[in-house]
Amino acid sequence: MNPPAKNASLWPAIALGWALACLVLVAAGWGDIARLKFPDPDDPMRLLQVRDWLAGQSWWDVSQHRLAAGAMHWSRLVDLPIAGVILAMRPLLGQAGAELAALIAVPLITLLAVLALAAHLTRRLAGPDLGRLAVLIVPLSVPILYQTRPLRVDHHGWQIVLALAALVLLAGKPTIRAGALIGLSLAALVTISLEGLPIAAALCGIAALAWAFQPGRRASLLATVWSLFASLLLLQLATRGPGYAAPLCDAITPDWIAAMGIAALASFTGRAPLPVRIGALAVAGAAAIGWLVFRAPACVAGPFAQLDPLTRSLWYENVSEGLPFWRQYPSWAIMTMGLPIVGIVGAVLAIRASEGEARTRWILLLAALIPATLLAALVMRAGATANAIAVPSVAWALGAMLARARAIPSIPLRTVATAAALLIASPGLTALAILGSPQTQAMHAPRGDQAARGRPACTDGTQIRAVGQLPSGMIFAPVDVAPDILVATHHRAVASGHHRNMAAMHDVFAAFTGTPETAHRLIVARGAQYVAVCPGLNEPEIYREAAPNGFWARLERGERFPWLEPVPISGSPVLVWKLR
C-alpha cells in the first residue's frame, strides 16, 4: 500500500460522502421525522432532559420530575450540542422547530465526526487512497447509521466519536500532546456513560503495552494516564456538582477516579527491563480492580445486577441492544458482527504485508479491534464502535480485493470479482438483502394479533400520545411508552425504562401481570388517575404471555372492574381507563 501523503486532503471526499449520507438518511426517515417517531425510548428522554434544563432546571439535576420516580444517571455533556442548536435556532424557528432542527442536525454532525475520524485513521495506517475508500465503508455499516440517524440524540453516537478519536491519536506519533488528548477523549467517553469503560480500559491497556515494548512511548503514556485521571476529576466536578461523591454503580464516582489514579502509578516504572514493565502493568491493573472490589463490591457485577427478578425478566432480558449476538435476529447479528470480523481478517493480512512503523500501527488497530468485537458479541449496543474501529482494515482488504479484481483479464470475471469484493466489505447490507430487516426495537415491535381479538392494534409507540386529549393527570402505563407520553403531552407517568427507578418499574410490571387486586393497590399507591395501554406493542404482549390470567390479560379480553371506567379516545387504538 502507498505510504500516507501528508498533503492529500480527505475533506472533499468526506464532505461529499457525508452530504450523500445525510440526504439518504433524511429522505428515508422523513416519515418518522415528521411525526417524531424516535428510534428508541432514550431519545425522547434525552430531549426532555434538555428541554427541562433550558426551561430552568438545574444543570446538576438530570432527574425527570414528571415521572413518579424519575432519577436519571445521564451526563450533561451530551445535552450541550442539542441545547446549542435549540438556542441558536429558536429565534428563527420557535421552540418546536428548533427542537426538530436539533433532532436532525446533532446526529448528522455526529456522523460527520465518525466519517472524518475513520477516514483519517485509515489514512494514517494505509494512505489517502484508502482513506477516501473508508468514507464509502462507513455508510455501509448499519449499526453506525442507526446510532447517527436523525432523531437518535442519545449518547451512543458520541461514544463512537470519542473512542475513534482516542484510537486516531494512539495510532499517530506518541507525543505528550497526543497522550493528553487521548486521556481527555477517554475521560469524556466514560463520563458520558460508564458503559464506555471496557473500550476505554482496552485502549489504555494497549497504550500501556505499547510503552512496555517501546520505552520511547513513556512520555506519551504518562500524558495519557494523568490526563485521564485529571480530566475525569474535572469532568466529574463540572457535570455532577454537589453530587460528585454519591455512591453509584452506573456513573463515575470518586472510587472509579481513585482506581484510575492507582493504575496510573505503573507509568512511573521508567526504563526498567521489559518483564518488569509488564509486571508493573499487571500489578497496577490488579490493584485498581482490588480497590473497586474493596470499595464498591456491589458494583462489580454492574448496575443491572441489582434488578429484582420480575424487572429483569420482563424488561432487561427483552431489551435487545443489551443482549449478546446469539440472542438477536440473525440479520441484526450479522449486520453487527460481520464488519468487525472482516476487519480482523483484514488487519491480520495488513500486518503480514507491512513492516516498521506501519506494522506497529496495524498491530495497535488489531489490538483495539479484537476487544471491541468481543464486547459487541456480548452486548449488541457496543457493535457500532466495533464497526467504526474496523473501517481501516476493511478498507485495506477491499482495496486489496479490488486491485486483484482489476487485474483479471476477463470482463465478466472481473465484474463478478468486483461485486464479490464489495459484498465482502459490506456484510451487513448483504444480510439485510438476503434475510430482510430485523426487529431492532423489540420493545416497540408489534407481536400480538389484535385484529383476531376484535380491535385495532398500535403499530408504534407514538400512538400513545393520543392520551393528550384527556385532562392532565398521572398515567399508569407500560414503561416503554412513558417517554412518548412525557415528550408530547401534558401528563405525568409512573415509570420509564431506566434502571435507577427499579422500584417504580417493578410496580408497573407487578400490576399488569398480577391480580386485579394487586393492580388496584399499586395503581392507587402511585397516585395514578388513568391506566393507558397501546395494545399490540411488544411490552403488553410480554405481560400477556408472562401472566395469561393477569390484570392486563383480563383487561385485554374485555373483563371490566368496578374501580375502572373506560375512556373513549378518538383517532387512536390506545385503550384508556379512568380510576373511579
Side-chain angles (χ1 to χ4, degrees):
M1 295 297 170
N2 295 327
K6 294 183 179 180
N7 60 351
S9 176
L10 296 178
W11 281 106
I14 292 169
L16 178 60
W18 180 65
L20 292 174
C22 289
L23 287 173
V24 172
L25 288 173
V26 172
W30 186 250
D32 291 345
I33 294 170
R35 55 196 187 98
L36 286 187
K37 182 186 175 184
F38 291 95
D40 186 274
D42 284 350
D43 300 308
M45 290 298 289
R46 176 67 66 181
L47 176 60
L48 284 165
Q49 182 167 294
V50 176
R51 185 187 289 174
D52 292 344
W53 172 39
L54 294 181
Q57 188 165 312
S58 169
W59 165 268
W60 314 114
D61 180 10
V62 295
S63 297
Q64 178 44 246
H65 295 289
R66 287 168 60 206
L67 289 173
M72 301 291 287
H73 66 284
W74 289 348
S75 170
R76 282 290 189 202
L77 291 181
V78 182
D79 296 346
L80 290 173
I82 305 170
V85 174
I86 291 174
L87 290 175
M89 302 305 296
R90 192 160 58 187
L92 298 175
L93 303 176
Q95 180 68 25
E99 288 183 355
L100 182 59
L103 291 171
I104 297 172
V106 171
L108 296 180
I109 291 170
T110 311
L111 175 61
L112 174 61
V114 173
L115 269 171
L117 288 167
H120 281 87
L121 177 60
T122 305
R123 170 182 165 167
R124 184 158 285 179
L125 272 67
D129 290 341
L130 292 187
R132 285 185 281 272
L133 194 58
V135 176
L136 169 67
I137 293 171
V138 170
L140 298 180
S141 168
V142 177
I144 293 176
L145 291 185
Y146 180 78
Q147 300 295 357
T148 56
R149 60 189 281 198
L151 305 183
R152 185 66 170 140
V153 290
D154 198 22
H155 59 269
H156 298 289
W158 293 115
Q159 288 180 300
I160 305 170
V161 170
L162 291 166
L164 268 184
L167 187 55
V168 169
L169 293 161
L170 183 59
K173 291 183 179 180
T175 63
I176 293 175
R177 177 177 177 273
L181 291 174
I182 291 172
L184 177 60
S185 298
L186 296 181
L189 172 63
V190 295
T191 297
I192 284 174
S193 176
L194 203 58
E195 68 188 22
L197 182 63
I199 192 63
L203 292 173
C204 281
I206 292 165
L209 285 173
W211 156 75
F213 287 95
Q214 295 181 337
R217 290 178 173 266
R218 182 170 182 265
S220 180
L221 178 63
L222 279 170
T224 295
V225 295
W226 291 108
S227 171
L228 173 59
F229 175 74
S231 299
L232 273 177
L233 182 59
L234 292 175
L235 287 172
Q236 181 74 358
L237 294 173
T239 59
R240 300 294 178 187
Y244 77 99
L248 305 169
C249 292
D250 56 8
I252 290 294
T253 66
D255 288 332
W256 291 100
I257 298 174
M260 298 290 181
I262 292 171
L265 294 176
S267 60
F268 283 118
T269 306
R271 296 185 178 275
L274 176 62
V276 175
R277 294 196 296 272
I278 293 179
L281 293 176
V283 170
I289 294 172
W291 170 265
L292 287 176
V293 171
F294 172 71
R295 292 288 299 171
C299 296
V300 174
F304 297 110
Q306 302 175 43
L307 295 174
D308 64 88
L310 181 65
T311 304
R312 173 173 288 275
S313 64
L314 295 185
W315 175 65
Y316 182 68
E317 294 182 0
N318 287 285
V319 178
S320 61
E321 69 170 21
L323 300 177
F325 81 93
W326 57 85
R327 295 188 59 185
Q328 306 292 331
Y329 291 97
S331 55
W332 185 243
I334 295 172
M335 281 191 283
T336 302
M337 301 303 301
L339 202 70
I341 291 172
V342 174
I344 289 173
V345 175
V348 170
L349 295 176
I351 290 170
R352 292 178 58 185
S354 304
E355 58 185 18
E357 186 60 30
R359 182 184 179 91
T360 299
R361 288 173 175 170
W362 280 116
I363 291 173
L364 291 173
L365 180 82
L366 180 62
L369 181 54
I370 289 175
T373 303
L374 292 175
L375 287 170
L378 296 174
V379 182
M380 276 288 103
R381 62 173 163 258
T385 298
N387 274 246
I389 293 174
V391 168
S393 50
V394 173
W396 188 95
L398 178 58
M401 288 187 289
L402 291 177
R404 292 197 175 198
R406 285 194 295 268
I408 298 175
S410 170
I411 293 178
L413 290 179
R414 186 164 66 243
T415 303
V416 170
T418 301
L422 293 172
L423 290 175
I424 292 171
S426 56
L429 295 183
T430 304
L432 185 64
I434 296 174
L435 300 175
S437 177
Q439 291 175 295
T440 58
Q441 296 298 295
M443 294 297 283
H444 279 280
R447 285 167 40 138
D449 185 1
Q450 295 296 313
R453 298 172 203 168
R455 67 169 63 90
C458 288
T459 56
D460 62 69
T462 63
Q463 290 168 295
I464 194 69
R465 300 173 187 175
V467 298
Q469 303 172 21
L470 303 173
S472 181
M474 172 73 79
I475 296 183
F476 200 96
V479 300
D480 215 45
V481 295
D484 278 293
I485 293 173
L486 298 182
V487 81
T489 78
H490 46 274
H491 293 292
R492 301 176 66 215
V494 172
S496 62
H498 296 93
H499 65 270
R500 279 201 185 177
N501 308 303
M502 60 184 74
M505 293 170 65
H506 176 272
D507 284 354
V508 172
F509 300 142
F512 281 118
T513 60
T515 65
E517 293 75 21
T518 297
H520 188 196
R521 174 176 56 82
L522 293 172
I523 292 169
V524 170
R526 287 293 176 180
Q529 286 82 48
Y530 304 99
V531 174
V533 181
C534 239
L537 295 187
N538 202 51
E539 191 177 346
E541 292 299 305
I542 291 174
Y543 297 158
R544 181 180 57 80
E545 293 169 5
N549 291 310
F551 173 59
W552 165 244
R554 294 171 67 174
L555 268 180
E556 186 187 37
R557 289 196 296 263
E559 190 170 341
R560 294 294 176 257
F561 305 100
W563 49 278
L564 286 179
E565 176 184 349
V567 178
I569 298 293
S570 62
S572 172
V574 63
L575 300 177
V576 181
W577 296 265
K578 182 179 181 180
L579 271 73
R580 295 183 187 276

